[in-house]
Amino acid sequence: HLRSTEQLFLSALRELDSAATCRISAAADLCIPHDVIRIAGGFATGCLVQWTSNVPVIPVDTTVNIDTSSIFWLDREPELTAEDFTNLQVKVEDESSYEWNFHKGNHFISICRRRSDGRPALVIHSNEKEFKYQFNGLMPVPGNWFMEDVRVFRRGGQYLRLLIGDKVPLFVEIAKLMEPYNIVRHRFLASVLLEGRARFQDDQHKHHYWMPNAQAVAIGCFLCNENETVPIFSRPGGDIALFTATAGGSNRVAIPGLEESLLVPHGWGKSVRNSVEVTYDEQLFTMNGVSFEVQPKVTLGVHPDLIVRNFADDPESEDSLFSRMASHTPGVVVDRLQQLRSYSKAGFVNHEAD
């Protein structure tokens, strides 16, 4: 699928600039996305899309947004209840300019304990919902600020949509503005949730969905320096691995203007429980007999065959994600975060009581 997209993308770019280039690099967690418009538009979760062109373009079905993994190290372990998360949701939805987005997708807030020494942490995973489907957002929504400048390229049964021209620099500016915005957003949510219960001692943030530069989109994967440590999520409520990326694999990429060069997954990803049969066009996407409209906000997440990948919890097991991807994405799990209590689309869950 990605190879076909890459070929169509190059063909489209060469109509605009005869010297243009493009490349799509897969991360170890390459998988089917929830967004129907992303998969139908030629892309997936767990890949890096890069291009060069003298004519400014954005492949809009990369569904650019800023998704961030944040860890707040705390001075003590807070006792949080379902009511605390309900109160946070009310404050966000009814009393702030932020939008709540922990009730869908794979976003979550979790109180954790580092297994090596018991150090408490708050982990937040979400994106900037405030700049997605609105008129001023970055998602390809009919009638928004940039869609009239989008051109559709077709070959065989596949299509590719490119934003072309003067609005591209502004699109990139908004995307870059959202990087610090989402970090501040996470800090704000953490501060309100923890008020009077715990204080930050340190925090770290890493985007896994973003634009590294004006001609690249990282879709659901980290770009790491050698020996950088990042959190890799597992199943809901499962341990969060603190993974240190090392050199020597097949995940090195070259990105102009960026030192970070190792593609690293941000989680286990999704798979399909059965064999996959897919047909699609610009109106309808069908997988294993279940059809979805190709429209913004339509999600494959409800497909009965789409499941979280299953790996062994022990990082040393030959059936762990880390053993399976060792030749492609080498590294070491230096520690793990045990989830204690979390809030996600499953609601509030006390994992210690499981």
Side-chain angles (χ1 to χ4, degrees), residues 46-101:
C47 64
L48 174 68
V49 182
Q50 297 175 272
W51 64 94
T52 62
S53 172
N54 289 326
V55 177
V57 303
I58 297 287
V60 296
D61 288 315
T62 55
T63 59
V64 174
N65 65 103
I66 310 302
D67 221 327
T68 311
S69 302
S70 298
I71 301 177
F72 298 88
W73 297 106
L74 309 178
D75 64 346
R76 59 187 180 274
E77 192 174 292
E79 290 293 335
L80 295 177
T81 66
E83 184 179 4
D84 294 320
F85 287 96
T86 298
N87 290 339
L88 177 64
Q89 181 175 358
V90 170
K91 289 175 181 176
V92 169
E93 290 184 329
D94 298 344
E95 303 174 29
S96 84
S97 58
Y98 289 121
E99 294 197 27
W100 184 256
N101 60 350

Side-chain angles (χ1 to χ4, degrees), residues 2-194:
L2 292 184
R3 181 61 56 85
S4 179
T5 299
E6 187 178 71
Q7 293 168 353
L8 176 54
F9 192 10
L10 181 60
S11 174
L13 288 173
R14 290 285 172 86
E15 290 188 30
L16 307 173
D17 174 5
S18 60
T21 65
C22 70
R23 180 182 179 184
I24 303 178
S25 304
D29 64 337
L30 181 69
C31 64
I32 296 173
H34 280 188
D35 284 316
V36 172
I37 57 173
R38 191 189 313 164
I39 187 72
F43 301 96
T45 296
C47 64
L48 174 68
V49 182
Q50 297 175 272
W51 64 94
T52 62
S53 172
N54 289 326
V55 177
V57 303
I58 297 287
V60 296
D61 288 315
T62 55
T63 59
V64 174
N65 65 103
I66 310 302
D67 221 327
T68 311
S69 302
S70 298
I71 301 177
F72 298 88
W73 297 106
L74 309 178
D75 64 346
R76 59 187 180 274
E77 192 174 292
E79 290 293 335
L80 295 177
T81 66
E83 184 179 4
D84 294 320
F85 287 96
T86 298
N87 290 339
L88 177 64
Q89 181 175 358
V90 170
K91 289 175 181 176
V92 169
E93 290 184 329
D94 298 344
E95 303 174 29
S96 84
S97 58
Y98 289 121
E99 294 197 27
W100 184 256
N101 60 350
F102 296 97
H103 62 294
K104 60 194 304 183
N106 60 355
H107 295 168
F108 68 91
I109 307 175
S110 185
I111 294 294
C112 300
R113 184 185 298 146
R114 191 162 61 186
R115 287 198 176 272
S116 64
D117 59 5
R119 189 180 188 187
L122 178 73
V123 176
I124 298 181
H125 170 215
S126 77
N127 61 24
E128 31 53 90
K129 189 180 177 183
E130 299 81 13
F131 288 83
K132 293 193 69 178
Y133 299 104
Q134 302 85 344
F135 176 77
N136 60 319
L138 300 181
M139 298 294 277
V141 177
N144 77 0
W145 68 278
F146 65 78
M147 284 300 288
E148 65 180 13
D149 291 345
V150 170
R151 180 178 166 188
V152 183
F153 297 81
R154 299 176 178 88
R155 187 175 66 177
Q158 192 169 14
Y159 69 93
L160 181 80
R161 300 193 294 178
L162 294 182
L163 171 62
I164 303 171
D166 293 341
K167 290 181 181 177
V168 169
L170 180 57
F171 186 105
V172 175
E173 277 191 275
I174 295 173
K176 300 306 289 183
L177 180 67
M178 291 303 98
E179 292 173 30
Y181 172 90
N182 207 38
I183 291 173
V184 171
R185 181 179 180 275
H186 280 190
R187 285 193 180 123
F188 182 86
L189 293 170
S191 177
V192 173
L193 180 64
L194 296 174

Side-chain angles (χ1 to χ4, degrees), residues 198-273:
R199 298 180 65 183
F200 307 161
Q201 291 184 321
D202 191 15
D203 56 304
Q204 61 191 75
H205 311 270
K206 188 75 172 176
H207 305 304
H208 52 262
Y209 208 138
W210 59 307
M211 291 192 71
N213 61 33
Q215 296 184 322
V217 182
I219 306 178
C221 51
F222 295 119
L223 287 167
C224 295
N225 296 312
E226 291 181 25
N227 300 316
E228 182 177 1
T229 301
V230 292
I232 295 184
F233 306 135
S234 58
R235 63 175 67 86
D239 278 6
I240 298 168
L242 300 181
F243 177 80
T244 299
T246 58
S250 305
N251 59 328
R252 184 176 292 278
V253 292
I255 303 179
L258 197 71
E259 291 183 5
E260 300 164 318
S261 59
L262 301 178
L263 275 181
V264 175
H266 83 285
W268 286 5
K270 291 284 188 82
S271 185
V272 179
R273 71 174 80 245

Side-chain angles (χ1 to χ4, degrees), residues 269-314:
K270 291 284 188 82
S271 185
V272 179
R273 71 174 80 245
N274 303 307
S275 59
V276 182
E277 292 186 11
V278 169
T279 59
Y280 66 95
D281 54 29
E282 295 171 52
Q283 285 76 45
L284 204 65
F285 182 92
T286 301
M287 184 170 76
N288 291 356
V290 182
S291 297
F292 300 83
E293 284 188 292
V294 180
Q295 294 290 336
K297 299 186 180 182
V298 178
T299 176
L300 282 174
V302 298
H303 196 293
D305 290 344
L306 199 63
I307 57 174
V308 176
R309 287 189 176 120
N310 188 31
F311 296 102
D313 292 321
D314 180 3

